[in-house]
Amino acid sequence: MVATLALLAIVAGTSVPLLHMLLEAHGLATVMAPAASAGTLAMERMVREVRQAQWDTLQVADHAITFVSAAGETTRLHQTRPGDAGIYLVKNGDERLLAQVVAAGSLSFTRLAPANRLVGISFTLNTPLADGTALVLPLATAVHVPP
């Protein structure tokens, strides 16, 4: 009887920290999943827009890119509003929020290989947690702009 109680105490003592870690990991995944999905969707939308650009109209600036599509539509992707870290798409004057939980000033566009017509896109998701810390998830890709 004493041996059984001792064995149960050992099992309980080792399983409680494991259960605590599992619950903590589940909580982090629950918080991060919606932000990661929103960031992925924003990246996919930016890639789709940049693929429609005319290479010679690309204008890359701090935290923004502006271009004219093959259809003649002026498009701007930016993160330039003071006090607002969201990523926005402006197409023919209509502005639309693409991502909201983004680290301020993290959106970047780069002409990676002009000869190959590659444009790099990167930004960082910054999801605040209840304890005051934040989960950080960098996203980056390269886009080929067809001739």
Side-chain angles (χ1 to χ4, degrees):
M1 179 71 128
V2 173
T4 304
L5 288 175
L7 185 58
L8 283 174
I10 291 171
V11 169
T14 57
S15 63
V16 168
L18 178 62
L19 287 173
H20 181 265
M21 286 189 307
L22 290 173
L23 285 172
E24 192 173 90
H26 174 72
L28 290 175
T30 302
V31 168
M32 193 60 183
S37 291
T40 302
L41 287 173
M43 181 66 84
E44 288 174 0
R45 181 65 190 264
M46 287 189 282
V47 166
R48 190 175 332 126
E49 294 296 334
V50 171
R51 278 191 181 136
Q52 296 176 18
Q54 294 179 12
W55 180 258
D56 57 341
T57 66
L58 284 175
Q59 298 175 1
V60 177
D62 287 344
H63 317 295
I65 188 169
T66 305
F67 55 87
V68 176
S69 71
E73 298 174 315
T74 300
T75 304
R76 177 177 167 84
L77 297 160
H78 71 96
Q79 184 189 33
T80 56
R81 289 183 171 181
D84 181 359
I87 295 176
Y88 291 88
L89 163 67
V90 182
K91 197 169 192 176
N92 290 329
D94 295 326
E95 187 170 62
R96 184 172 173 185
L97 180 66
L98 295 183
Q100 196 165 14
V101 289
V102 181
S106 68
L107 180 63
S108 174
F109 296 95
T110 311
R111 289 178 186 242
L112 295 174
N116 295 329
R117 297 177 180 240
L118 288 178
V119 175
I121 305 172
S122 65
F123 62 93
T124 303
L125 295 176
N126 195 10
T127 306
L129 300 175
D131 65 0
T133 61
L135 286 174
V136 176
L137 177 65
L139 296 171
T141 193
V143 183
H144 176 260
V145 179

